[in-house]
Amino acid sequence: MQAVKILRRGFKAIAAPTLFIGLTAYFGWNALHGDHGIRAYQEQTQLKQEALLAEQNAQAEQLMWRRRVAALKEHALDADMLDERSRAMLNLTRNGDIVIPYGPNDKLF
């Protein structure tokens, strides 16, 4: 009888701290690894940065296409510009032409 009393008293002394330590460990693990934890937040910020970069690239490409379309309008076509582009596409020059090469980052359009 005395042994049972000692066991009960020991169980009561250990049960509450064990429960609270277990709950603390559970919530701590979820704070790091859960769906709304720190690691999920880091992944979401990384995805956000990638999306912003993709948006900037798309806007740059859209601007390039708008400039190209604007150059195709009737008031934008110039005989000299048309001649220059056709010779550039065919890789031809005339006698007396001065050729100025553009760098890889310098775009005509």
Side-chain angles (χ1 to χ4, degrees):
M1 200 64 170
Q2 200 67 344
V4 173
K5 233 180 189 181
I6 292 174
L7 283 176
R8 273 193 190 160
R9 194 178 300 159
F11 178 74
K12 284 182 182 179
I14 293 175
T18 304
L19 177 68
F20 290 124
I21 288 173
L23 283 173
T24 303
Y26 173 76
F27 286 117
W29 188 88
N30 276 320
L32 290 175
H33 303 285
D35 290 340
H36 302 287
I38 293 173
R39 290 197 181 161
Y41 176 74
Q42 290 172 346
E43 290 174 8
Q44 290 297 318
T45 54
Q46 179 66 27
L47 288 174
K48 180 182 175 186
Q49 293 299 325
E50 291 173 6
L52 289 174
L53 181 63
E55 180 187 17
Q56 288 174 352
N57 291 340
Q59 286 176 349
E61 186 176 356
Q62 186 180 32
L63 181 63
M64 176 192 67
W65 280 108
R66 284 186 186 193
R67 278 188 276 155
R68 284 184 177 183
V69 168
L72 292 175
K73 294 188 179 176
E74 186 176 334
H75 71 278
L77 285 177
D78 184 26
D80 291 335
M81 186 173 71
L82 189 60
D83 181 51
E84 184 268 332
R85 287 306 303 153
S86 64
R87 287 189 287 126
M89 296 297 285
L90 296 173
N91 201 19
L92 298 174
T93 60
R94 291 190 211 149
N95 267 347
D97 279 350
I98 298 173
V99 178
I100 301 173
Y102 287 96
N105 295 330
D106 298 331
K107 297 182 180 181
L108 290 174
F109 295 99

